[in-house]
Amino acid sequence: MTDKQNSMSVNKHVLTQDLNLRQYSNTAIFLRGQLFVLSPSAQNQHNWFDLSKVNIDRYQEKQYKGFLVVRFFDKLLVADLDRFIREMMPTNVYVQPSSGRPHWKFNIKFSNSTHYIVNQQNPNKRYPIREFSVQQLQELLNRKA
């Protein structure tokens, strides 16, 4: 198993078992009814993750209630996906690698007892993100489902 596969499997059971979400293909997308959960995993020493344009486009094609759930080591960091996209993912500023798909790159920083997501293409953009317990996340998703 590669590092990326190991990273993607961290806390996946929380999404599929505890939250009863279904993974879409082999992506970071998890679905249940009208819920759309984009759940990247950040398990590296630089606290980075990326979000692919393909996955964002898939969300915007349908009428879902979306959440970003970053699996940051053993923590679950949660944000409203619509607001996050609007504030942190300018449509024309993403990484376009020669060998892959376009994506946005982010880091997670911690300061003043708050986690922030920082856009690597624009480090001045910082988005506060809240840590949730599994139970708090269950309650939030059940209210929105």
Side-chain angles (χ1 to χ4, degrees):
M1 199 179 272
T2 67
D3 285 346
K4 183 170 182 171
Q5 288 170 318
N6 284 331
S7 174
M8 284 301 295
S9 65
V10 171
N11 280 333
K12 191 162 117 178
H13 70 281
V14 170
L15 300 166
T16 58
Q17 294 170 19
D18 299 339
L19 302 175
N20 199 27
L21 297 166
R22 167 180 60 79
Q23 186 175 15
Y24 179 81
S25 191
N26 194 25
T27 67
I29 297 172
F30 294 82
L31 304 167
R32 184 177 82 205
Q34 294 304 111
L35 290 173
F36 184 105
V37 175
L38 189 55
S39 186
S41 181
Q43 307 294 321
N44 55 71
Q45 64 187 15
H46 304 291
N47 301 337
W48 71 268
F49 67 94
D50 59 18
L51 297 175
S52 75
K53 186 173 183 324
V54 169
N55 286 347
I56 297 303
D57 290 347
R58 189 164 284 123
Y59 170 63
Q60 294 176 333
E61 289 172 5
K62 300 197 174 163
Q63 295 303 314
Y64 289 111
K65 176 58 188 158
F67 294 94
L68 175 65
V69 177
V70 180
R71 292 171 284 143
F72 182 56
F73 295 99
D74 62 339
K75 297 174 175 24
L76 298 170
L77 305 179
V78 181
D80 177 272
L81 188 55
D82 287 310
R83 185 171 164 227
F84 183 79
I85 290 170
R86 207 170 40 250
E87 294 183 22
M88 295 296 290
M89 300 175 71
T91 55
N92 59 344
V93 183
Y94 47 79
V95 177
Q96 178 71 54
S98 59
S99 61
R101 296 184 173 156
H103 58 277
W104 290 265
K105 290 181 130 351
F106 301 96
N107 290 90
I108 296 175
K109 305 278 185 192
F110 187 75
S111 75
N112 298 327
S113 70
T114 302
H115 287 93
Y116 293 92
I117 297 177
V118 178
N119 185 319
Q120 288 184 16
Q121 285 71 52
N122 183 355
N124 295 327
K125 287 192 109 25
R126 294 166 50 102
Y127 189 93
I129 188 165
R130 289 184 46 210
E131 183 178 345
F132 275 60
S133 69
V134 173
Q135 183 177 347
Q136 289 171 317
L137 189 52
Q138 283 173 323
E139 292 168 2
L140 174 67
L141 295 183
N142 288 338
R143 278 197 314 268
K144 302 296 181 180

